[in-house]
DNA sequence: GTTCAGTTGAGCAATCTGCTCAGTGTTGTC
DNA sequence: GACAACACTGAGCAGATTGCTCAACTGAAC
């Protein structure tokens, strides 16, 4: 068991509605879903308590903030120093995301930058972080599919049970 | 010029406040920022119109939806078929993000899955997509630094001018 | 000196919020 | 079948919030 039961169809529909109108008042949502205001409010509260909603920061477009350039830096790290490295990386403001991976590369570091020079500087900082052995920087030239979850939400919204049955 | 001027300090503060309380009413935001309600409303409207706020879907935690497993699949693609491949990938619901990269690997594909079997299946679908030559799947074992933008926002909130001066 | 965008404070009717309560299924259990 | 647990519903209420518009003020640019 995952500890929390996965969301049900109603939750999925609620999230879809929110995806469409993020700042929609509860009233609008309840009408849209054909549920009572009470229910929607309870569901929303449960979603938040459950931690199903991540930080609002994820919605902010770095480009609009003045960082139009984005890159992924795959890094190889001295074993057993992952924590330390992650900590060092988190101190670089332009590092927006770090994932620990299995396989050849240990870390996937996502950074944003103002321009090419800026990116060069940041990549240097990543490489200079204690514990980092080797890095490889790849520019994000184009966002082919923006982060989306709607397809999975729609699946959940239709089926009653768990996502994969 | 980027086409749109970057956000200013007020915008950054507004976004920071929203990051703290995503569903805060405009009134609360205006009090918090020491600005008039009118101004906050105007700013918010401008942010949305400008496209500075991305889809709400980004805030939804796939794990809560029932997809606790995440992986990045780097793929090599037949040249000139990027569009086609991206289109094919976008039809796989579990593909949540696709970036076109410079360098050795052409595509960075982020997928979520219910479990290891599911991931195996999805990786197979990615590889089977027309135009995909080779793939390499790496499991996201741990999120070291969750997607965040606050450090950059705070920088913008303090300095009056552009993000890097 | 004038124009212009951004901000402010005020006002208004309509709506929304947070909260509580009791009633109504729908389940699952013994 | 009886019963408890649970989610959903409809209703109510005081108070806050929204969307909108207006006129006035500020600072900067020209």
């Amino acid at each position: 068991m995952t500890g929390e039961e996965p969301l049900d169809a109603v939750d999925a529909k609620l999230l879809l509605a929110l995806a469409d109108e993020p700042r929609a008042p509860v009233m609008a949502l309840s009408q849209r879903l054909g549920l009572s205001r009470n229910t929607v409010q309870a569901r929303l509260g449960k979603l938040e308590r459950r931690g199903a909603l991540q930080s609002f920061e994820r919605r902010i477009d770095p480009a609009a903030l003045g960082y139009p350039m984005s890159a992924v830096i795959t890094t190889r790290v001295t074993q057993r120093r992952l924590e330390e490295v992650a900590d060092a990386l988190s101190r670089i403001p332009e590092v927006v995301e770090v994932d620990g991976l299995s396989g050849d590369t240990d870390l996937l570091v996502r950074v944003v930058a103002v321009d090419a020079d800026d990116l060069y500087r940041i990549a240097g900082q990543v490489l200079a972080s204690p514990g980092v052995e080797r890095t490889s920087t790849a520019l994000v030239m184009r966002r082919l599919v923006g982060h989306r979850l709607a397809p999975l939400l729609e699946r959940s919204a239709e089926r009653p049970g768990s996502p994969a049955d």
Short mmCIF file of all heavy atoms in Angstrom, two decimals, chain C residues 6-12:
data_model
loop_
_atom_site.label_atom_id
_atom_site.label_comp_id
_atom_site.label_asym_id
_atom_site.label_seq_id
_atom_site.Cartn_x
_atom_site.Cartn_y
_atom_site.Cartn_z
P DG C 6 1.59 50.36 -17.14
OP1 DG C 6 2.52 49.23 -17.30
OP2 DG C 6 0.17 50.25 -17.53
"O5'" DG C 6 1.65 50.82 -15.62
"C5'" DG C 6 2.90 51.17 -15.05
"C4'" DG C 6 2.68 51.55 -13.60
"O4'" DG C 6 1.98 52.81 -13.57
"C3'" DG C 6 1.81 50.56 -12.82
"O3'" DG C 6 2.41 50.32 -11.56
"C2'" DG C 6 0.48 51.25 -12.69
"C1'" DG C 6 0.89 52.72 -12.70
N9 DG C 6 -0.15 53.63 -13.19
C8 DG C 6 -0.93 53.49 -14.30
N7 DG C 6 -1.78 54.47 -14.48
C5 DG C 6 -1.55 55.30 -13.39
C6 DG C 6 -2.17 56.53 -13.03
O6 DG C 6 -3.07 57.13 -13.61
N1 DG C 6 -1.64 57.04 -11.85
C2 DG C 6 -0.65 56.46 -11.13
N2 DG C 6 -0.25 57.10 -10.02
N3 DG C 6 -0.05 55.32 -11.45
C4 DG C 6 -0.55 54.80 -12.59
P DT C 7 1.72 49.35 -10.52
OP1 DT C 7 2.80 48.69 -9.78
OP2 DT C 7 0.68 48.57 -11.23
"O5'" DT C 7 1.00 50.35 -9.52
"C5'" DT C 7 1.75 51.42 -8.94
"C4'" DT C 7 0.84 52.30 -8.12
"O4'" DT C 7 -0.01 53.06 -9.01
"C3'" DT C 7 -0.10 51.53 -7.19
"O3'" DT C 7 0.24 51.82 -5.84
"C2'" DT C 7 -1.50 52.02 -7.56
"C1'" DT C 7 -1.20 53.30 -8.34
N1 DT C 7 -2.22 53.61 -9.37
C2 DT C 7 -2.98 54.75 -9.21
O2 DT C 7 -2.85 55.51 -8.26
N3 DT C 7 -3.90 54.98 -10.20
C4 DT C 7 -4.13 54.20 -11.31
O4 DT C 7 -4.99 54.51 -12.13
C5 DT C 7 -3.32 53.03 -11.42
C7 DT C 7 -3.49 52.10 -12.58
C6 DT C 7 -2.40 52.79 -10.45
P DT C 8 -0.53 51.16 -4.64
OP1 DT C 8 0.40 51.11 -3.50
OP2 DT C 8 -1.15 49.92 -5.16
"O5'" DT C 8 -1.68 52.19 -4.33
"C5'" DT C 8 -1.37 53.57 -4.14
"C4'" DT C 8 -2.64 54.37 -3.96
"O4'" DT C 8 -3.28 54.52 -5.24
"C3'" DT C 8 -3.66 53.71 -3.04
"O3'" DT C 8 -3.83 54.51 -1.88
"C2'" DT C 8 -4.94 53.63 -3.87
"C1'" DT C 8 -4.66 54.58 -5.02
N1 DT C 8 -5.32 54.19 -6.30
C2 DT C 8 -6.30 55.01 -6.81
O2 DT C 8 -6.67 56.04 -6.26
N3 DT C 8 -6.84 54.59 -7.99
C4 DT C 8 -6.51 53.45 -8.70
O4 DT C 8 -7.07 53.17 -9.76
C5 DT C 8 -5.48 52.63 -8.10
C7 DT C 8 -5.05 51.37 -8.77
C6 DT C 8 -4.94 53.04 -6.95
P DG C 9 -4.34 53.91 -0.53
OP1 DG C 9 -3.63 54.59 0.56
OP2 DG C 9 -4.35 52.45 -0.64
"O5'" DG C 9 -5.86 54.41 -0.52
"C5'" DG C 9 -6.13 55.80 -0.63
"C4'" DG C 9 -7.59 56.01 -0.94
"O4'" DG C 9 -7.83 55.65 -2.32
"C3'" DG C 9 -8.54 55.14 -0.11
"O3'" DG C 9 -9.55 55.99 0.43
"C2'" DG C 9 -9.08 54.12 -1.09
"C1'" DG C 9 -9.00 54.88 -2.41
N9 DG C 9 -8.90 54.06 -3.60
C8 DG C 9 -8.17 52.92 -3.77
N7 DG C 9 -8.28 52.41 -4.98
C5 DG C 9 -9.13 53.28 -5.63
C6 DG C 9 -9.63 53.26 -6.97
O6 DG C 9 -9.39 52.44 -7.85
N1 DG C 9 -10.47 54.33 -7.22
C2 DG C 9 -10.80 55.30 -6.32
N2 DG C 9 -11.62 56.25 -6.74
N3 DG C 9 -10.35 55.34 -5.07
C4 DG C 9 -9.52 54.30 -4.80
P DA C 10 -10.60 55.47 1.47
OP1 DA C 10 -10.40 56.26 2.70
OP2 DA C 10 -10.59 53.99 1.55
"O5'" DA C 10 -11.95 55.91 0.78
"C5'" DA C 10 -11.96 56.73 -0.38
"C4'" DA C 10 -13.15 56.36 -1.24
"O4'" DA C 10 -12.68 55.59 -2.38
"C3'" DA C 10 -14.19 55.50 -0.54
"O3'" DA C 10 -15.42 56.22 -0.47
"C2'" DA C 10 -14.30 54.25 -1.37
"C1'" DA C 10 -13.70 54.67 -2.71
N9 DA C 10 -13.07 53.57 -3.44
C8 DA C 10 -12.15 52.67 -2.97
N7 DA C 10 -11.77 51.79 -3.86
C5 DA C 10 -12.49 52.12 -4.99
C6 DA C 10 -12.54 51.57 -6.28
N6 DA C 10 -11.82 50.51 -6.65
N1 DA C 10 -13.38 52.14 -7.17
C2 DA C 10 -14.10 53.21 -6.79
N3 DA C 10 -14.13 53.82 -5.61
C4 DA C 10 -13.30 53.23 -4.74
P DG C 11 -16.65 55.64 0.33
OP1 DG C 11 -17.41 56.81 0.85
OP2 DG C 11 -16.16 54.59 1.23
"O5'" DG C 11 -17.52 54.98 -0.83
"C5'" DG C 11 -17.71 55.68 -2.04
"C4'" DG C 11 -18.47 54.79 -2.99
"O4'" DG C 11 -17.52 53.93 -3.67
"C3'" DG C 11 -19.48 53.89 -2.30
"O3'" DG C 11 -20.74 54.04 -2.93
"C2'" DG C 11 -18.93 52.49 -2.50
"C1'" DG C 11 -18.06 52.63 -3.74
N9 DG C 11 -16.95 51.70 -3.83
C8 DG C 11 -16.03 51.40 -2.84
N7 DG C 11 -15.14 50.51 -3.23
C5 DG C 11 -15.49 50.22 -4.54
C6 DG C 11 -14.90 49.34 -5.47
O6 DG C 11 -13.92 48.61 -5.33
N1 DG C 11 -15.59 49.34 -6.69
C2 DG C 11 -16.69 50.10 -6.96
N2 DG C 11 -17.21 49.98 -8.17
N3 DG C 11 -17.25 50.95 -6.10
C4 DG C 11 -16.60 50.95 -4.92
P DC C 12 -22.03 53.47 -2.16
OP1 DC C 12 -23.06 54.52 -2.26
OP2 DC C 12 -21.65 52.91 -0.85
"O5'" DC C 12 -22.44 52.27 -3.13
"C5'" DC C 12 -22.56 52.50 -4.53
"C4'" DC C 12 -22.69 51.16 -5.22
"O4'" DC C 12 -21.39 50.60 -5.42
"C3'" DC C 12 -23.48 50.16 -4.40
"O3'" DC C 12 -24.74 49.91 -5.02
"C2'" DC C 12 -22.63 48.92 -4.35
"C1'" DC C 12 -21.47 49.20 -5.28
N1 DC C 12 -20.17 48.73 -4.71
C2 DC C 12 -19.39 47.85 -5.46
O2 DC C 12 -19.78 47.50 -6.56
N3 DC C 12 -18.22 47.43 -4.92
C4 DC C 12 -17.85 47.83 -3.71
N4 DC C 12 -16.70 47.39 -3.23
C5 DC C 12 -18.64 48.72 -2.95
C6 DC C 12 -19.80 49.16 -3.47
#
